[in-house]
Amino acid sequence: MTGRCAVETLAEFGFWATPKTSGITTLDSGTGARAFIYSGCEEVFVFDLKEKKLTGILQFPDPVSDIVQSEDKQHLYVACRSAVYRVQLPPILSRFSSTQSTSPTELKVASEDIVIREEGVLCLITVGTVLVTLSRRDPSWIFTVNKPGEQPGLYEMLSSFCLPIISDGGEERKPVMNYVCLGDSSSEIKLEPTLFKLLFGVDSALIKSPIVLCGFPDGRLCSLSLRLPGIRVFHSLEEPVVFVGASVVMETDARCLVAVGENGRVLVIKTCKGASEEGGTQVTFAEGCVPGPVMSVCADQSGLYLSTGSDLLSLRLTEESSQSDGPELTDKGVTVQSPISLNVGGISALTKPVFSTAGEVELFSLSDKGRLRRITLPKSRVDSESSTRRRAQTGRSVKDLLSAIGDVCERASHLKTSIKSQNQILRRLNQVVNVSFLLLNASDGAEQPIRCHATTEWTRLLLKDSLHLTCVLENNSPYLLEQGWILNITVCPLSDISQEQSASTNYSFPLCSLNPGQKSEVTLPLTAADDTLFPITISCVLVFSLGTLFDEKQLVSLLKVQNSAISLPLNSLTVDWLHALRLSTSASDKTVATCARTKTSDALRGFLKSKGKERVEKGEGKAYSASVKISCDLLRDVLQSKSSDKERKESNLCVMLLDWLLSEPHREVAGHPSESRTHGAVLHGQGPNGRLIKLVTKEVNVGVEKEALAAVEVQVESSSLAAVCGLHHAIIDRVQALVKRAPTKSSSLSVESLGLRPALQRAEHLLQQIHDGRVSGAIGVTSGHMTRSLLKVYQELREHPLVIL
């Protein structure tokens, strides 16, 4: 470059300027050129560039963080700490110009000029009539897109987007914003159509949506489409971003995207043909480096101007094949030349370059000591660069035609992808409908093709015993359960109806892919060792979330409701006291010690209860028992039906019955494994509440001696009334299932010969007592009286049980 830069100091404002707190913008309107300068305080200085004097001062209620002008140059938007103001320029500039005083006119901006009430706005940008703001509210950056509202002078929010703050690095510098448009638009800030489509998507190119660019102090480069939802991070400089915008490559006049970092890293984003093995057009990222730290950057149609604090640099972009005067950094066809020094230092902020009446390029700058300067570049350099651009225009028409062909190809590819996606959605919906009809139309009593079964297991962790349930989902249907299906399991204890809602627990397990014939296992905690909430019902429900196929707006338009899930009930499981037993072959010292600790704990719990609202029951320390009598004929018909004659003779009904009670799966929950079961007629163990439990089976005779009925008695013994009741209920529940499997036949023994007539009369009397207890509860008798009455009935049933034939 020949010639030197001419630097003229226009004014001194007497404040220290930094890139974070100060800035400058220029306006060239019908009333003359003006410069608006702010220093991080409440004042904005208005300087007349033609008259070279300070004509006015705008005073705002809060410190100013950014200033932008509207595209029609009729308004000035000012971001303050608590709001965004809009100043109408023609009347204010006329008022400043009409004064004859040598001192500047001060004007306070009123609250009537507020257009957006938003806290902490750091950056502004106008795109047509749209105003985009960026503010920081920990832990996120907040973008808001605003348009003029129905009320004059106010803006209304179109959309808002959040981006997480991932680092506090570079907090001394605020974010920078710019925008670009498609190459065939009327805007000066535009990109090549191919680069625009590859970088921001075909959808944005088809609707010609302007793209707002933002560079953050953590180095991220983001794009925000004004006509499509969402914000996207497309690159990172890994250092605070000083500038992001569009520039050109000198030889071809190709418009590319340029970003500059605070430490001097320069990133050029451009298209390159034949960069892949297929030979297609791709986006390339070329990097260069200039001496840092970079304080401010501005761009024109020929390149960039960078201020490093100690010098002002001119940077140009060239093709890789071109020759340059100094060392250069090359990457995939793009060359970032070594910058040229313009020998101007101390610059904190720059304005966009403009052409003077003499054809020279002028830059207005704000120095770090608060001086407003005019920098004029040599004319010879400007003429050389203009001729280079004119030569590059010869191939533009061909490029435009090729770009139009590329538009059609991209549109066809987009439609093909959309059709493929819709076919995939229809296929998955068809699977969901088939599974729904298969489960909802299952006949009563038939086994569902998709069902659950479970096993229980005690584990010990951190000196605490816990019961876990392993639930197995079997897919015996011909359909695939893909992503979007969820297995919901609800655990509900039934022993305390008053707490049923609060004690219920829900678990959700997403399914990835469950093919026909496959199983999926999930494990969940049932209860801690000191809980007595048995039996427990486990409800299994298969849920499909339509949110995996459609977004929120599509769901509202398709379903017209807020519920976007399909629920299909499966079978239910029941875990009772027999499932929750911890078995031992004898009353070992360890079990006895555990029982003793439990009694001590119960005594302490009783003492604490006596000091509160509740009291200890009188019979808490005594031993309880209950028994069930089953005829031997019934056991032989059912349990020995599949055994050989030899096995029948050798088998012991007492051992067989006890083993069957423990091993038989019941209500879809498996029994105890063979290695943990007893093989005798006596079983010792612990219940889920930690109390010692004893199960004894023995053969007894019912009735008179000559016509006695042989039966097997199962007796439950424990110091815990809850354990005796729970095990008694679990045994009767299993025996009821056993009776349903027995063959129907008439017995030759009469009721009188078995001595059952008094037992039947006693049962009728007890039934009447239960009925009276319910009536008493309905008319308001105290719950304590009703509880004692029902406990007395239960004790009578345990002492004189009926025999199950």
Side-chain angles (χ1 to χ4, degrees):
M1 182 183 72
T2 59
R4 296 179 60 85
C5 296
V7 180
E8 178 184 4
T9 300
L10 302 179
E12 294 188 11
F13 294 98
F15 57 80
W16 288 95
T18 64
K20 180 182 178 181
T21 60
S22 58
I24 178 174
T25 182
T26 57
L27 171 67
D28 190 4
S29 60
T31 59
R34 302 290 197 284
F36 298 90
I37 301 142
Y38 64 95
S39 61
C41 60
E42 294 84 358
E43 297 176 338
V44 174
F45 302 98
V46 182
F47 190 85
D48 192 322
L49 297 176
K50 183 178 180 181
E51 299 293 334
K52 299 182 181 180
K53 69 175 182 177
L54 181 65
T55 58
I57 300 176
L58 297 174
Q59 293 184 347
F60 291 87
D62 297 311
V64 177
S65 58
D66 197 11
I67 297 177
V68 295
Q69 58 182 346
S70 61
E71 292 189 357
D72 59 4
K73 300 180 181 180
Q74 298 298 309
H75 299 91
L76 195 71
Y77 294 93
V78 181
C80 294
R81 180 177 300 169
S82 59
V84 177
Y85 294 82
R86 183 177 67 177
V87 179
Q88 294 186 0
L89 291 176
I92 290 181
L93 295 180
S94 300
R95 183 175 177 179
F96 288 160
S97 301
S98 61
T99 180
Q100 300 298 325
S101 175
T102 57
S103 61
T105 303
E106 296 185 2
L107 179 63
K108 290 186 177 181
V109 179
S111 60
E112 289 79 6
D113 295 323
I114 294 178
V115 291
I116 298 175
R117 296 187 181 274
E118 185 175 356
E119 295 286 341
V121 177
L122 297 178
C123 299
L124 297 172
I125 192 170
T126 58
V127 185
T129 60
V130 176
L131 178 61
V132 182
T133 65
L134 174 61
S135 59
R136 173 170 178 161
R137 300 174 199 165
D138 289 337
S140 301
W141 298 102
I142 308 296
F143 289 87
T144 57
V145 182
N146 308 273
K147 71 170 185 177
E150 297 180 357
Q151 298 181 1
L154 291 178
Y155 273 64
E156 61 182 19
M157 184 175 67
L158 283 175
S159 58
S160 179
F161 305 97
C162 297
L163 189 69
I165 298 175
I166 62 174
S167 173
D168 292 332
E171 201 170 49
E172 291 300 321
R173 182 175 293 277
K174 65 181 182 180
V176 293
M177 295 178 69
N178 208 333
Y179 79 95
V180 292
C181 297
L182 199 61
D184 55 356
S185 63
S186 59
S187 174
E188 296 180 358
I189 310 174
K190 52 190 176 182
L191 293 181
E192 287 183 327
T194 304
L195 177 61
F196 191 94
K197 287 180 291 186
L198 292 176
L199 203 56
F200 306 119
V202 179
D203 293 341
S204 299
L206 289 176
I207 62 177
K208 298 182 179 181
S209 171
I211 302 295
V212 175
L213 304 173
C214 184
F216 289 98
D218 54 30
R220 286 179 295 177
L221 297 174
C222 303
S223 63
L224 172 65
S225 176
L226 295 184
R227 298 175 186 173
L228 293 175
I231 185 168
R232 186 171 67 92
V233 178
F234 63 90
H235 197 71
S236 176
L237 276 182
E238 300 180 355
E239 61 183 59
V241 181
V242 179
F243 171 81
V244 58
S247 186
V248 297
V249 179
M250 293 179 60
E251 287 78 3
T252 60
D253 203 26
R255 298 180 181 271
C256 57
L257 200 64
V258 182
V260 182
E262 185 180 47
N263 297 331
R265 179 176 294 180
V266 180
L267 174 69
V268 181
I269 305 176
K270 183 181 177 292
T271 57
C272 183
K273 294 184 179 180
S276 63
E277 295 181 359
E278 293 79 6
T281 302
Q282 288 188 347
V283 177
T284 61
F285 295 81
E287 288 191 359
C289 189
V290 298
V294 179
M295 307 294 290
S296 180
V297 180
C298 64
D300 62 3
Q301 295 298 319
S302 59
L304 305 175
Y305 298 94
L306 307 92
S307 169
T308 63
S310 60
D311 199 359
L312 179 63
L313 305 178
S314 174
L315 184 65
R316 296 297 178 261
L317 307 177
T318 62
E319 290 291 338
E320 183 178 357
S321 59
S322 64
Q323 300 295 327
S324 59
D325 298 334
E328 52 192 31
L329 189 150
T330 304
D331 187 4
K332 295 185 179 179
V334 179
T335 299
V336 181
Q337 289 189 350
S338 296
I340 300 175
S341 174
L342 299 180
N343 298 316
V344 181
I347 297 176
S348 175
L350 286 169
T351 64
K352 185 178 180 180
V354 296
F355 282 90
S356 65
T357 55
E360 299 173 329
V361 173
E362 292 182 346
L363 300 174
F364 291 94
S365 67
L366 186 65
S367 71
D368 52 4
K369 297 182 180 180
R371 297 173 181 174
L372 178 62
R373 294 175 176 177
R374 187 205 311 264
I375 303 173
T376 305
L377 272 65
K379 185 177 179 181
S380 57
R381 178 174 177 82
V382 177
D383 294 340
S384 175
E385 293 172 353
S386 300
S387 62
T388 302
R389 289 199 304 272
R390 285 194 298 269
R391 289 194 302 268
Q393 296 292 333
T394 56
R396 291 296 301 275
S397 59
V398 177
K399 287 186 177 181
D400 291 341
L401 292 175
L402 293 176
S403 178
I405 296 174
D407 286 342
V408 176
C409 294
E410 292 287 349
R411 194 178 307 171
S413 176
H414 175 71
L415 291 176
K416 184 178 179 180
T417 304
S418 177
I419 293 173
K420 184 178 180 180
S421 176
Q422 292 177 2
N423 289 338
Q424 184 74 6
I425 292 175
L426 289 176
R427 184 190 67 79
R428 295 185 62 183
L429 282 177
N430 183 51
Q431 290 272 14
V432 173
V433 172
N434 288 334
V435 172
S436 302
F437 275 104
L438 186 65
L439 295 179
L440 296 177
N441 295 337
S443 58
D444 295 338
E447 184 174 330
Q448 287 182 331
I450 302 176
R451 59 188 297 106
C452 293
H453 61 85
T455 58
T456 58
E457 182 183 6
W458 280 95
T459 58
R460 187 170 184 83
L461 181 63
L462 299 179
L463 301 180
K464 187 174 183 180
D465 295 332
S466 299
L467 181 64
H468 289 79
L469 179 82
T470 300
C471 186
V472 181
L473 175 65
E474 292 185 350
N475 181 17
N476 294 323
S477 70
Y479 306 111
L480 171 66
L481 299 182
E482 297 181 279
Q483 184 179 4
W485 286 103
I486 301 172
L487 177 62
N488 280 353
I489 298 178
T490 302
V491 178
C492 179
L494 299 180
S495 59
D496 192 353
I497 301 177
S498 63
Q499 298 180 359
E500 181 176 353
Q501 294 298 328
S502 60
S504 298
T505 307
N506 297 319
Y507 300 93
S508 296
F509 301 96
L511 303 178
C512 294
S513 178
L514 191 62
N515 294 313
Q518 288 186 344
K519 301 178 182 179
S520 178
E521 292 187 3
V522 295
T523 302
L524 51 97
L526 277 186
T527 176
D530 56 351
D531 281 341
T532 57
L533 302 177
F534 285 90
I536 295 178
T537 298
I538 294 95
S539 301
C540 303
V541 179
L542 202 59
V543 179
F544 183 81
S545 175
L546 294 175
T548 58
L549 300 180
F550 307 99
D551 56 27
E552 214 171 296
K553 293 183 179 179
Q554 290 174 332
L555 286 176
V556 173
S557 61
L558 289 174
L559 303 179
K560 306 298 183 183
V561 292
Q562 297 298 324
N563 187 13
S564 61
I566 300 173
S567 298
L568 304 173
L570 302 178
N571 58 310
S572 296
L573 316 175
T574 300
V575 179
D576 55 24
W577 277 73
L578 280 174
H579 292 127
L581 279 181
R582 284 175 285 179
L583 305 179
S584 60
T585 56
S586 63
S588 61
D589 295 338
K590 182 179 179 181
T591 306
V592 173
T594 305
C595 185
R597 288 196 303 269
T598 304
K599 289 183 178 180
T600 304
S601 175
D602 289 345
L604 179 59
R605 189 181 298 109
F607 173 77
L608 294 176
K609 286 182 179 179
S610 66
K611 297 300 181 181
K613 296 182 179 180
E614 300 181 1
R615 62 184 180 85
V616 183
E617 297 181 0
K618 294 181 180 180
E620 189 173 5
K622 61 185 282 190
Y624 298 94
S625 65
S627 62
V628 179
K629 296 178 182 179
I630 310 156
S631 68
C632 293
D633 292 338
L634 174 62
L635 296 178
R636 292 190 185 96
D637 291 338
V638 179
L639 299 183
Q640 293 184 341
S641 60
K642 297 182 180 180
S643 303
S644 62
D645 294 338
K646 184 178 179 181
E647 291 175 346
R648 292 181 186 178
K649 294 179 181 179
E650 295 177 354
S651 61
N652 188 333
L653 284 178
C654 297
V655 176
M656 183 177 295
L657 175 60
L658 190 57
D659 189 66
W660 176 83
L661 287 174
L662 296 174
S663 62
E664 182 73 8
H666 184 64
R667 296 189 183 274
E668 301 295 342
V669 180
H672 294 272
S674 59
E675 58 269 13
S676 65
R677 298 199 302 266
T678 179
H679 297 287
V682 180
L683 169 70
H684 295 85
Q686 287 180 267
N689 60 356
R691 294 292 186 89
L692 181 64
I693 293 171
K694 182 179 179 182
L695 287 178
V696 181
T697 56
K698 58 183 178 180
E699 293 190 8
V700 296
N701 293 324
V702 180
V704 297
E705 294 182 359
K706 293 183 179 181
E707 295 186 7
L709 176 66
V712 175
E713 181 182 21
V714 183
Q715 188 172 14
V716 183
E717 298 178 3
S718 177
S719 61
S720 170
L721 179 60
V724 172
C725 295
L727 285 172
H728 190 212
H729 175 270
I731 293 173
I732 292 177
D733 198 22
R734 280 165 170 74
V735 172
Q736 287 177 346
L738 185 70
V739 172
K740 294 179 181 179
R741 294 162 49 184
T744 57
K745 62 181 180 179
S746 59
S747 175
S748 60
L749 300 177
S750 62
V751 173
E752 286 78 7
S753 64
L754 295 178
L756 298 181
R757 178 67 64 185
L760 291 175
Q761 293 176 352
R762 192 182 304 110
E764 293 176 356
H765 175 69
L766 295 177
L767 180 61
Q768 183 62 35
Q769 290 186 23
I770 295 174
H771 178 72
D772 295 342
R774 290 181 176 178
V775 173
S776 300
I779 62 177
V781 179
T782 61
S783 61
H785 173 76
M786 186 173 60
T787 301
R788 289 191 296 270
S789 176
L790 293 178
L791 180 59
K792 183 179 179 181
V793 171
Y794 183 73
Q795 289 174 342
E796 288 283 342
L797 284 174
R798 289 192 296 107
E799 292 174 0
H800 304 283
L802 298 176
V803 63
I804 300 176
L805 300 175

